[in-house]
Amino acid sequence: MVYLSRLVSDKETEEYGGQSFSTSVYGSRWDIEPIPKYTLPDKEMPPHIAYKLIKDDLQLDGNPVLNLATFVTTYMEDEAEKLMTENLPKNFIDYEEYPATVELQNRCVNIISRLFNAPNDEDAIGVSTIGSSEAIMLAVLAMKKLWKKRRVAEGKPADKPNLVMAASATRYFEVEEKFVYLTEDSYVLNPEKAVELVDENTIGICVILGSTYTGHYEDVKAVNDLLLVKNKKTGWEVPIHVDAASGGFVAPFVNPDLAWDFRLELVRSINVSGHKYGLCYPGIGWALWKSKKYLPEELIFTINYLGSDQASFTLNFSKGAANVIVQYYVLIRFGRQGFTSIMRNLMGIADYLATRLESTNKFEILSDRNGNGLPLVAFSLKDKNIHYDEFDVAHRIREHQWIVPAYTMAPHIQHIKLLRVVVREDFSRERCDLFFMDLMHTIDYLDKMDKDSINVKRTAAQGWRTLKSITLMGFKNQSHKTNGVC
Ligand SMILES: *Cc1c(COP(=O)(O)O)cnc(C)c1O
């Protein structure tokens, strides 16, 4: 058969809104009309036009690899991306339909629990989650339930549960947060103070492996040892939950002898983000329990309407299966050897950057310098009386496209301002050098500017952000957070 070019009929033209579909997006009527923003449009548009219009809008987003604020993975190998794309249509909750996917979750739970030294003679269990936030909530629910059961059995009131911690990384349900406040001398949870705060209503102590402020590891072993003594004296059974969102995939490879995990008697549950140093794109985390006796059965729900009896523990029902699948890819692709090489490189680059920053004599390093923390560099300006601050640096360096967050420390030491560079897999030595150069240009520029001009710039920047949030979000009362540190 021979195809000849032909004129597009009027009818066909009409179907595409008066345009022939050989027209480029930018020659079509959609290019000159406002695109549907806040209400559902009455008419359709061709897929390639919708695609291009949205793609063009998204060009205004920052470049993920230049975002030094986030711990969340911005690079994965092609094979991983391919696996994700191939599995996008699968709903993870349909266990009956996707038994092979469920098997991969089970393998991940096994691999990660063993990485965290789950004892062989106890039946560790775990689930995949959307991220650490969901995993922490599940772990807190389990601790709360166990505490409540014990209190009720003892005929004691069970209406005032509390959780002891240094910094809140998430929200908890109807559990009082008892804070051990950080001090200028220590940016992590003080084990003595934490255990002192424990009372009969304490459902657990949450210890963080890798502070989001400075990357330091909290001393899980010290908390464990002090708490063992207190539990013995009082007859309580207060457990430890470790929030290893970031540190869970770093410490086992960089500090394998550091006992922070299931090796410690009172560590009953751990959460870790697959999408941070678990090297997966966002949407995956893990909640793990040392034994199934620490996850009360009442919390597990069984569903049967999808074809078979299935047990699950989740805050949401449906979710994509691709993230679980790709976590398994990462685990078997890299293995202990690959993870160790990657994590050691990241630590090396963090150390290199910290050393370069220190050598300028302009910065003070607030993150760990001994290899016992996350691969990140938290730093502040050495000269506290200079006419600009960390927020001005963060603002100006955006002009070089880098996103570096400036933030204040936890409650009670909020006067301490700092900047933070998270070293992720794609932050190579070369990229680090380019960043350092831009940072020094920024400092040089701020040094030359006077206080008044900096103030004008600062106010203008804030004004622009507010205006943008109103017009883009459409809801005037929506608050727009510009300074996330996670
Ligand atoms: C990132 C982080 C969280 C939240 O984890 P998501 O996976 O983003 O939900 C919780 N705790 C700590 C310590 C973190 O670093």
Side-chain angles (χ1 to χ4, degrees):
M1 230 196 289
V2 179
Y3 289 101
L4 292 176
S5 302
R6 61 175 180 83
L7 286 178
V8 178
S9 74
D10 283 352
K11 186 166 172 299
E12 281 167 320
T13 306
E14 186 55 35
E15 276 168 9
Y16 279 93
Q19 308 261 344
S20 112
F21 48 104
S22 59
T23 307
S24 127
V25 175
Y26 303 115
S28 76
R29 71 178 171 85
W30 287 281
D31 180 58
I32 198 153
E33 286 175 5
I35 88 167
K37 283 205 178 87
Y38 306 119
T39 43
L40 187 70
D42 292 330
K43 295 226 170 107
E44 336 167 62
M45 67 172 77
H48 71 285
I49 295 210
Y51 171 80
K52 194 74 175 115
L53 291 177
I54 295 171
K55 193 178 162 87
D56 285 359
D57 259 11
L58 292 175
Q59 306 278 8
L60 293 180
D61 271 348
N63 180 349
V65 302
L66 301 184
N67 180 358
L68 306 184
T70 184
F71 287 100
V72 176
T73 303
T74 48
Y75 163 77
M76 287 193 83
E77 294 177 320
D78 291 345
E79 289 78 3
E81 292 189 353
K82 195 164 164 225
L83 267 178
M84 288 190 82
T85 315
E86 288 165 4
N87 287 285
L88 284 178
K90 290 189 188 167
N91 184 359
F92 184 75
I93 202 75
D94 294 339
Y95 291 177
E96 174 74 4
E97 196 178 352
Y98 307 123
T101 300
V102 177
E103 167 60 15
L104 297 195
Q105 159 173 277
N106 294 341
R107 291 182 196 174
C108 288
V109 167
N110 272 271
I111 293 173
I112 302 169
S113 301
R114 291 209 165 87
L115 181 66
F116 296 170
N117 295 292
N120 274 331
D121 54 350
E122 297 208 53
D123 35 9
I125 52 171
V127 283
S128 67
T129 60
I130 292 290
S132 278
S133 306
E134 185 193 1
I136 296 169
M137 288 180 208
L138 296 179
V140 170
L141 278 175
M143 288 193 287
K144 183 173 148 187
K145 195 87 190 173
L146 284 180
W147 168 83
K148 197 168 176 177
K149 273 168 72 166
R150 221 171 31 247
R151 294 284 290 178
V152 170
E154 292 168 356
K156 292 180 178 153
D159 56 345
K160 288 201 170 54
N162 70 58
L163 182 67
V164 172
M165 71 192 105
S168 184
T170 183
R171 293 276 134 237
Y172 306 98
F173 306 111
E174 295 169 7
V175 174
E176 183 203 344
E177 296 165 353
K178 272 194 156 185
F179 287 114
V180 182
Y181 290 106
L182 306 183
T183 63
E184 282 187 30
D185 313 324
S186 163
Y187 299 148
V188 288
L189 177 118
N190 176 309
E192 284 85 18
K193 285 193 201 157
V195 175
E196 261 168 42
L197 279 183
V198 169
D199 60 27
E200 59 177 352
N201 290 318
T202 301
I203 63 168
I205 301 184
C206 181
V207 188
I208 298 177
L209 193 78
S211 140
T212 49
Y213 294 106
T214 58
H216 287 100
Y217 293 152
E218 295 183 339
D219 192 344
V220 196
K221 183 161 190 316
V223 176
N224 177 79
D225 295 352
L226 291 167
L227 192 55
L228 272 173
V229 175
K230 183 149 185 173
N231 278 349
K232 197 158 186 195
K233 208 166 79 190
T234 55
W236 302 333
E237 282 176 50
V238 181
I240 296 171
H241 171 79
V242 181
D243 176 358
S246 301
F249 281 112
V250 180
F253 306 109
V254 178
N255 316 86
D257 296 330
L258 182 73
W260 62 273
D261 53 14
F262 290 130
R263 278 170 281 186
L264 300 174
E265 187 176 333
L266 291 176
V267 173
R268 303 263 161 90
S269 52
I270 298 175
N271 69 274
V272 63
S273 298
H275 53 224
K276 291 187 176 174
Y277 292 105
L279 308 178
C280 293
Y281 286 142
I284 184 78
W286 301 91
L288 307 160
W289 289 266
K290 185 186 240 168
S291 155
K292 70 176 183 210
K293 64 177 183 264
Y294 302 127
L295 176 55
E297 263 172 39
E298 306 93 283
L299 290 176
I300 299 174
F301 63 84
T302 310
I303 44 165
N304 57 18
Y305 70 81
L306 293 173
S308 72
D309 274 353
Q310 300 157 19
S312 184
F313 186 31
T314 171
L315 293 181
N316 40 264
F317 193 64
S318 301
K319 70 172 178 191
N323 299 72
V324 176
I325 293 169
V326 87
Q327 178 79 78
Y328 182 63
Y329 168 86
V330 168
L331 293 173
I332 65 164
R333 152 85 175 104
F334 294 128
R336 196 175 284 278
Q337 184 191 28
F339 265 99
T340 306
S341 315
I342 294 169
M343 297 308 154
R344 284 203 183 139
N345 274 358
L346 300 189
M347 296 296 289
I349 290 182
D351 186 54
Y352 168 72
L353 178 60
T355 308
R356 283 203 81 175
L357 291 173
E358 265 175 345
S359 71
T360 64
N361 229 357
K362 289 193 174 277
F363 306 105
E364 190 185 337
I365 307 296
L366 301 177
S367 41
D368 176 84
R369 291 291 275 123
N370 304 313
N372 294 314
L374 298 176
L376 62 81
V377 185
F379 56 106
S380 60
L381 292 165
K382 206 166 195 169
D383 183 352
K384 306 294 174 205
N385 300 315
I386 207 159
H387 60 284
Y388 54 88
D389 69 4
E390 288 77 1
F391 286 86
D392 296 316
V393 176
H395 172 58
R396 294 250 22 137
I397 201 162
R398 265 184 190 232
E399 288 172 14
H400 298 271
Q401 310 213 25
W402 299 101
I403 295 178
V404 179
Y407 52 103
T408 53
M409 282 289 284
H412 289 204
I413 45 170
Q414 267 172 338
H415 58 280
I416 303 179
K417 297 179 205 168
L418 57 168
L419 292 153
R420 188 189 69 191
V421 170
V422 173
V423 177
R424 290 191 312 270
E425 200 187 349
D426 48 0
F427 193 66
S428 59
R429 159 93 179 236
E430 167 66 4
R431 201 166 276 167
C432 180
D433 284 335
L434 293 173
F435 163 74
F436 181 78
M437 213 168 62
D438 285 341
L439 177 68
M440 294 324 288
H441 278 148
T442 301
I443 295 292
D444 189 41
Y445 184 89
L446 286 166
D447 279 340
K448 286 182 185 138
M449 261 175 106
D450 60 64
K451 199 176 171 126
D452 289 343
S453 335
I454 289 177
N455 268 336
V456 171
K457 282 254 172 199
R458 203 183 282 168
T459 329
Q462 282 159 357
W464 181 83
R465 235 167 267 171
T466 327
L467 183 73
K468 185 115 173 146
S469 75
I470 291 169
T471 47
L472 285 187
M473 300 177 99
F475 296 105
K476 288 195 170 52
N477 57 358
Q478 196 129 11
S479 69
H480 188 49
K481 221 173 125 194
T482 51
N483 254 315
V485 293
C486 273

